Amino acid sequence: MNKNLVSGLTLALSSFALANDAGLTYGGSPSLLKGHKTIQMVSEIIRVDVWKDHEIVDCQFVFKNHGKATKARMGFPDRSSGAGNPEEEGRVDPPKGSFNWFNSWVDGKKVKTTIARGKELGDYWHVKYVPFADGQSVKVHDRYRVDTGFAMTPDNGNVREATYVVHTGASWKGKIGRSDVYVTFHGLKAPLHVMPLLDFSPREGDDEVRGASLHAGRFASSDIVWSGPSKPSVHGTRLHFVRKNWRPQVGDDVDLFFSYYKKK
């Protein structure tokens, strides 16, 4: 899901107005909290493993410094809403974030991260400092677990959601050389039946907003409704999104809706 971390950008994806007791979690790609003029994200390989109630996300990034030696402050976004927000009932100190756990490595060495609070309750950053020598390339590896998002629908069904934010990668210098996002669903039937979110419009006669037709009862165990940076290729129960030499925008974020409901 990208899953993908740019500061100053709002990491919000739309939650459906029809939902009650929703818990939507968001993740994304590393970013400079104050921007940077010399460091480029050369590539990113994101692997999202999705189960019914949680995701494990593995992120492999390569950054290159096109200037003099510097130290980058990188932040990995951690944002949630509704029941998934640990601060839904009020501020919690120290901030905990919504991830079950988060680990990070730089060039194979595990590094310590701290949680910094964002501008709003439920908005956090997992922060680390990464040194770069002149012209140096650095590999950054982040791995975390997070609960899948969910929403109750008016007909008492439920839809699950897996996301990965890629647009925050646009804060780095120039274009991203290549982005690969692999999403594997565990426990669903192969092959997956994928439908673009823009084509999955409300049923005739409905007056709710787009997405009102995302009822669990309409899903088979292989149905996936998607939006993302490209049309995904499907291999069994895995989706693959890929883009080259690009600058992502908000609309490129990976957003997947699915259900473990099985039609009778």
Side-chain angles (χ1 to χ4, degrees):
M1 232 243 200
N2 195 203
K3 272 230 315 237
N4 245 304
L5 310 169
V6 162
S7 76
L9 296 180
T10 301
L11 303 178
L13 297 176
S14 298
S15 60
F16 296 131
L18 62 91
N20 294 315
D21 297 326
L24 304 175
T25 56
Y26 306 90
S29 307
S31 70
L32 295 167
L33 297 181
K34 294 185 178 180
H36 207 285
K37 295 181 180 179
T38 65
I39 296 175
Q40 176 196 12
M41 182 189 290
V42 177
S43 65
E44 57 179 341
I45 299 176
I46 312 301
R47 292 183 172 88
V48 184
D49 285 279
V50 182
W51 285 266
K52 183 177 181 179
D53 60 353
H54 73 280
E55 309 162 43
I56 293 180
V57 186
D58 187 275
C59 313
Q60 303 274 355
F61 305 97
V62 177
F63 293 95
K64 182 176 176 60
N65 180 21
H66 294 275
K68 298 180 179 180
T70 187
K71 180 179 288 187
R73 187 187 187 200
M74 293 186 180
F76 201 96
D78 176 350
R79 186 173 185 178
S80 57
S81 63
N85 180 2
E87 296 189 330
E88 183 183 19
E89 302 298 327
R91 183 183 177 102
V92 176
D93 288 307
K96 296 181 178 180
S98 63
F99 293 166
N100 303 137
W101 46 260
F102 179 85
N103 294 305
S104 187
W105 297 261
V106 174
D107 284 338
K109 182 179 179 180
K110 191 171 184 178
V111 296
K112 181 180 179 180
T113 60
T114 58
I115 300 179
R117 190 186 302 281
K119 294 182 179 180
E120 301 176 1
L121 291 179
D123 188 5
Y124 313 95
W125 296 86
H126 296 261
V127 178
K128 58 180 170 286
Y129 293 86
V130 181
F132 287 82
D134 293 11
Q136 182 184 13
S137 293
V138 170
K139 295 180 179 179
V140 175
H141 179 195
D142 295 317
R143 186 174 172 84
Y144 63 94
R145 172 175 162 151
V146 66
D147 296 338
T148 54
F150 67 92
M152 298 302 296
T153 64
D155 57 0
N156 294 320
N158 68 78
V159 173
R160 295 193 174 270
E161 181 182 20
T163 67
Y164 187 81
V165 172
V166 295
H167 78 263
T168 51
S171 65
W172 298 101
K173 175 181 173 64
K175 296 181 179 180
I176 300 174
R178 178 175 175 128
S179 300
D180 289 273
V181 180
Y182 299 91
V183 184
T184 301
F185 290 87
H186 298 269
L188 298 186
K189 293 182 178 180
L192 298 178
H193 175 221
V194 300
M195 298 166 281
L197 180 60
L198 291 178
D199 293 346
F200 198 67
S201 58
R203 294 168 295 183
E204 184 177 355
D206 284 351
D207 57 4
E208 290 88 349
V209 297
R210 186 188 72 181
S213 57
L214 289 174
H215 298 312
R218 299 193 62 198
F219 277 71
S221 59
S222 60
D223 290 343
I224 306 293
V225 175
W226 67 272
S227 64
S230 65
K231 181 179 179 180
S233 58
V234 182
H235 309 273
T237 59
R238 187 183 74 182
L239 305 183
H240 178 204
F241 300 87
V242 60
R243 288 288 296 271
K244 300 178 182 179
N245 299 315
W246 72 308
R247 289 184 63 82
Q249 301 178 28
V250 173
D252 296 313
D253 293 339
V254 175
D255 205 359
L256 304 169
F257 298 91
F258 58 99
S259 174
Y260 280 79
Y261 168 91
K262 297 182 180 180
K263 290 181 178 178
K264 297 181 180 179

